[in-house]
Amino acid sequence: MKILFRDVWNPTSLEISEWAYSNEKIPDQDWELAVNNYENIPMICTFIEDEKCCHTAFFLSSLYVFTGDIVRSNDVKEIEKLSVLLSKLEMRAKSEKLKDWIKRSKYLLQHPKSYDYAYWGLSSKYVY
């Protein structure tokens, strides 16, 4: 069954969810950039913690990209918004993978000069 996206670069949460539980390949190169936004992060976290999700590594990598992009932007409001989100997610996180992302993200927010694309960019070494 091929999942159809209305617009692969602006996927709906339903489309992302359907893809998460499919065996389909990534719909487009660098698709992490398409799924990353504040509204999707809680959903992405549930995928990472669900053993039935077929694409946990992809979604975990997308979280590292999300954090890295925000830190690189040096946008104070966005950094604060991510900090608040991380604190909320920290209370609910169950998996070590998700807890590690939260811990590493909080560290990076406090130490932005430690940013390294190899870990916070596409194909994060923290994941792959």
Side-chain angles (χ1 to χ4, degrees):
M1 172 178 125
K2 183 107 170 119
I3 296 175
L4 299 176
F5 292 92
R6 176 186 42 80
D7 176 354
V8 82
W9 283 99
N10 291 297
T12 65
S13 41
L14 179 60
E15 291 168 339
I16 295 168
S17 185
E18 286 176 2
W19 181 80
Y21 294 95
S22 77
N23 289 321
E24 304 259 340
K25 294 186 191 263
I26 186 170
D28 209 345
Q29 183 177 349
D30 301 340
W31 197 55
E32 293 94 331
L33 304 173
V35 301
N36 280 344
N37 63 50
Y38 283 103
E39 293 76 30
N40 287 343
I41 298 302
M43 175 181 65
I44 289 170
C45 291
T46 64
F47 297 150
I48 292 167
E49 295 195 315
D50 187 350
E51 293 175 8
K52 295 176 187 162
C53 179
C54 300
H55 301 286
T56 55
F58 167 84
F59 287 114
L60 185 58
S61 179
S62 76
L63 292 180
Y64 282 100
V65 170
F66 186 72
T67 299
D69 285 352
I70 288 173
V71 169
R72 283 186 331 144
S73 78
N74 205 24
D75 183 322
V76 175
K77 287 182 182 178
E78 290 297 305
I79 290 170
E80 179 59 31
K81 190 174 179 179
L82 177 58
S83 180
V84 169
L85 177 63
L86 290 169
S87 294
K88 288 179 184 176
L89 294 171
E90 187 173 36
M91 291 186 271
R92 297 187 304 234
K94 295 179 181 99
S95 73
E96 288 306 311
K97 292 176 186 179
L98 195 55
K99 289 177 184 179
D100 285 345
W101 168 70
I102 293 167
K103 179 179 72 172
R104 290 170 177 153
S105 293
K106 285 183 160 194
Y107 181 86
L108 186 64
L109 291 177
Q110 294 297 313
H111 304 92
K113 290 185 180 187
S114 70
Y115 173 88
D116 182 341
Y117 183 86
Y119 293 90
W120 297 97
L122 296 169
S123 300
S124 168
K125 285 187 177 183
Y126 283 131
V127 179
Y128 300 106

